[in-house]
Amino acid sequence: MESKEIIIVGGGPAGLYLAGKLEEGKRDYLLIEAKALGGQITNLYPKKMVVDVPLFEPMAAEGIIKRLIQKIDLSKAILGESVTSLEEIDGLVKVTTDKDSYLAKKVVLATGLGFYKPRPLGVENEAKAKNIFYSLDDPNKLKGLRVAVFGGGDSALDWAAQLSDEAEVHLIHRRKEFRGNPKTIEGKQISLHLPYIPDEITLDGDKASSISIKHVESGEKTSIEVDCILVNYGSSPESNDFGIKRSEKGFGWDVGNGYEIAPNVYAVGDCVLKEGFAKRMAPAFKEIDELLATLL
């Protein structure tokens, strides 16, 4: 079996960026992705505006993915195969998928959060409401509507800011401070509800017509009339660790400056647990630039 110089596992932004750099350097590589190129962006928020990646002007997330894909040789991308194990054999790494196996001198894991399912609001009748969304492929669908956005991370703030230009937006978070960057929503017409948690929804047929929220400290309840609800509570990762022990401090692998987590196996992006590391594209691209000095 012929070996590749580098195999990249994961075709999200980090994996695509690395593949583009290897293509630019005319290196021998292979990219393996279980689903479609683009990862979480393609699956969850292709239309969301991304404004904090220095390499690109502000654009929809799918636009960045398109630009990244244009930089790689698609003949070197294998789609629809899930990597099941990694094994060291005579100084090489054997990458086994659910369909085939490959050899590489080095392997880079850019698997993000892996396979995951969104965390729900956790209120009664939630599953019955067809206007509760956990991802959004096209924000234009919500133009002119009353939208309740739940969450305090960057994704929730990004969506609240973008939607507020064309919709009535309520942003609800269980804490007084956001985990994400609050500058994202500065100057935006957004009704903030802090610190509140969801209490119950009122159904009108198969849709939520209003949602009651409860103040975390006082227990006071207030009701918000809605046309739709967008939940950004993150996701429950269900990913393969390929037999490499993850950090005991949280989701991800512990890495040092060289990003090596096993002999000739490296990890970058959202699958890494690194102090001060923000799970966004720009920091991941910076990590990959550092990693390239080790790989090449």
Side-chain angles (χ1 to χ4, degrees):
M1 184 188 305
E2 181 182 356
S3 68
K4 295 292 181 180
E5 183 179 4
I6 297 171
I7 288 180
I8 305 166
V9 181
L16 289 171
Y17 179 75
L18 174 56
K21 286 291 186 179
L22 295 176
E23 184 70 32
E24 183 181 303
K26 303 185 184 303
R27 311 304 290 232
D28 180 38
Y29 71 92
L30 193 66
L31 185 151
I32 303 175
E33 164 57 43
K35 294 184 178 180
L37 294 176
Q40 179 174 314
I41 285 179
T42 298
N43 294 326
L44 296 183
Y45 49 91
K47 301 293 183 180
K48 188 175 76 172
M49 291 298 295
V50 178
V51 299
D52 62 348
V53 181
L55 294 175
F56 303 100
E57 68 272 19
M59 68 177 72
E62 64 181 358
I64 292 180
I65 294 301
K66 183 178 179 179
R67 296 271 191 93
L68 292 171
I69 290 175
Q70 289 172 344
K71 293 180 179 295
I72 74 171
D73 181 349
L74 289 177
S75 70
K76 299 177 182 177
I78 296 176
L79 306 182
E81 290 192 27
S82 298
V83 174
T84 56
S85 67
L86 302 175
E87 181 183 1
E88 184 181 7
I89 298 179
D90 297 328
L92 299 176
V93 182
K94 181 180 180 181
V95 180
T96 301
T97 73
D98 54 358
K99 297 179 181 179
D100 209 337
S101 59
Y102 311 87
L103 286 177
K105 295 178 180 178
K106 296 178 181 179
V107 171
V108 179
L109 301 178
T111 52
L113 297 177
F115 297 103
Y116 51 90
K117 55 184 178 181
R119 294 189 177 97
L121 282 173
V123 296
E124 188 176 357
N125 294 323
E126 180 176 356
K128 297 179 181 180
K130 293 185 178 180
N131 59 339
I132 296 180
F133 306 113
Y134 307 91
S135 63
L136 187 60
D137 59 352
D138 185 0
N140 289 322
K141 294 178 180 179
L142 307 187
K143 186 178 296 186
L145 301 185
R146 299 167 297 179
V147 184
V149 179
F150 284 84
D154 284 312
S155 182
L157 296 177
D158 287 344
W159 274 128
Q162 185 172 345
L163 294 172
S164 68
D165 293 333
E166 301 284 353
E168 176 188 317
V169 175
H170 296 262
L171 180 57
I172 304 99
H173 181 43
R174 66 179 61 243
R175 297 183 177 86
K176 294 180 179 179
E177 297 180 349
F178 295 111
R179 298 190 315 278
N181 185 356
K183 291 184 178 180
T184 304
I185 58 173
E186 282 184 0
K188 297 293 185 177
Q189 294 297 314
I190 299 172
S191 297
L192 298 179
H193 304 271
L194 311 172
Y196 279 86
I197 57 175
D199 182 54
E200 61 179 344
I201 58 174
T202 300
L203 290 176
D204 182 3
D206 60 359
K207 294 184 177 180
S209 59
S210 67
I211 183 163
S212 171
I213 57 176
K214 182 170 65 175
H215 195 278
V216 172
E217 297 170 351
S218 69
E220 176 188 2
K221 296 182 181 181
T222 187
S223 182
I224 303 172
E225 293 185 352
V226 297
D227 296 305
C228 69
I229 297 170
L230 183 58
V231 184
N232 288 270
Y233 280 173
S235 56
S236 301
E238 299 177 356
S239 61
N240 191 339
D241 62 11
F242 311 113
I244 303 172
K245 185 179 180 180
R246 294 187 185 273
S247 173
E248 297 178 355
K249 301 175 183 177
F251 179 84
W253 285 289
D254 288 316
V255 296
N257 293 332
Y259 299 98
E260 190 171 17
I261 59 173
N264 297 315
V265 178
Y266 305 81
V268 290
D270 287 359
C271 64
V272 166
L273 184 65
K274 189 176 181 183
E275 187 175 354
F277 176 79
K279 294 186 181 298
R280 297 179 75 86
M281 279 188 270
F285 293 169
K286 182 178 179 181
E287 283 196 343
I288 290 166
D289 288 337
E290 295 174 355
L291 173 63
L292 285 168
T294 301
L295 289 178
L296 305 180

